[in-house]
Amino acid sequence: MPTVQYDDAIVSFEAGPGLRDLVVGEGVANQELDHTLDQQIFHIRMANSQGRREAASLLLKKMYGWRGYSVDPNAIHALNKITLFAETGGQTVGTMSLCLDNDEIGLPADENFRDKLDELREQQRRLCEPSKLAIDKGVSKRVFAALIHISYIYARNIHGYTDYVIEVNPRHVMFYKRMLGFRDFGGERPCTRVGAPAVLLRLELEYMGEQIRQFGGLMEQQTTERSFYPYFFPTWDEPGITGRLIAGKT
């Protein structure tokens, strides 16, 4: 599937046919996009302006709010967080944030799993936490894969972080294990932020890099691999993406 480039995007790509069967987000499908998504070019950008942050926040409210989960509109501005979003045809269809652990500002998961995260910190592991992931219904699997891959490049290749940790609802645990290789780490506890149970999972970024090198870019080939890694970019796209992230062309 071709990858194209637009000057104001981290990366742009065309969605291929037959990729609309998986719904990562939950909510009401966008009927305006439903018949044209396979022909659209998607752009991944950083939410580094007020308008882009508002667009990402609106999608979060749409995808999380209908379940009764609260979304803090100011959380997107945290100093240790970047927010990526995907748009096509001028509409935001996907977003995720990546929180980077540091001595001054911890991670959202510290609220419920501080003791487990401290175990990793004592081992000199550098932690980051993907959060606030929302993908509109009817959107290509490749949008989800692109957001995760770019967050990996930012965390691992640019800043040298070693592990993803995530809090997920118990009903989503198998998805993250099967599709990305996350493993159990902290068990299930009540999540005070959303008033629902949460399970702490961990993924070593060294493992993710191995999967990207093995399967990235193979989505159009016949393969028995059922994870999301064939929908990631091929490794030869990583230097260009890395350079644009560093240069701030977002």
Side-chain angles (χ1 to χ4, degrees), residues 185-217:
F185 184 67
E188 180 179 323
R189 298 179 183 179
C191 180
T192 53
R193 291 190 305 280
V194 299
V199 176
L200 184 67
L201 302 178
R202 174 192 179 190
L203 177 62
E204 296 181 10
L205 295 184
E206 182 179 358
Y207 170 84
M208 175 171 272
E210 293 171 353
Q211 300 306 298
I212 293 170
R213 288 189 291 274
Q214 183 174 358
F215 298 111

Side-chain angles (χ1 to χ4, degrees), residues 1-5 9-14 44 142 145-146 149-150 152-154 157-158 212-213 215-219 229-246:
M1 211 163 297
T3 299
V4 294
Q5 186 53 44
I10 299 169
V11 69
S12 303
F13 54 89
E14 296 178 6
I44 308 295
R142 202 177 180 203
H149 195 166
I150 292 170
Y152 161 84
I153 291 171
Y154 187 85
N157 295 0
I158 297 177
I212 293 170
R213 288 189 291 274
F215 298 111
L218 297 183
M219 58 195 155
Y229 289 108
Y231 294 94
F232 279 50
F233 300 111
T235 53
W236 56 79
D237 280 347
E238 285 193 355
I241 294 171
T242 302
R244 286 186 289 277
L245 282 169
I246 292 173

Side-chain angles (χ1 to χ4, degrees), residues 47 52-53 56-57 60 72-78 81-83 95 97:
R52 290 176 176 182
R53 286 192 291 266
S57 180
L60 281 172
D72 181 359
N74 298 316
I76 203 169
H77 303 292
K81 177 186 293 185
I82 66 162
T83 296
T95 184
S97 294

Side-chain angles (χ1 to χ4, degrees), residues 18 25 50 74 77 94 101 161 224 248:
Q50 183 64 27
N74 298 316
H77 303 292
D101 193 26
Y161 281 79
T224 59

Side-chain angles (χ1 to χ4, degrees), residues 135-148:
I135 307 291
D136 214 343
K137 279 196 170 183
V139 174
S140 164
K141 296 176 184 179
R142 202 177 180 203
V143 172
F144 173 85
L147 290 169
I148 297 294

Side-chain angles (χ1 to χ4, degrees), residues 3 5 17 20 41 85 103 113 132 137 146 154 173 200 217 222 238 247-248:
T3 299
Q5 186 53 44
R20 294 193 295 164
I41 294 177
F85 74 99
D103 294 336
F113 293 96
K132 296 294 189 289
K137 279 196 170 183
Y154 187 85
V173 166
L200 184 67
Q222 294 295 327
E238 285 193 355

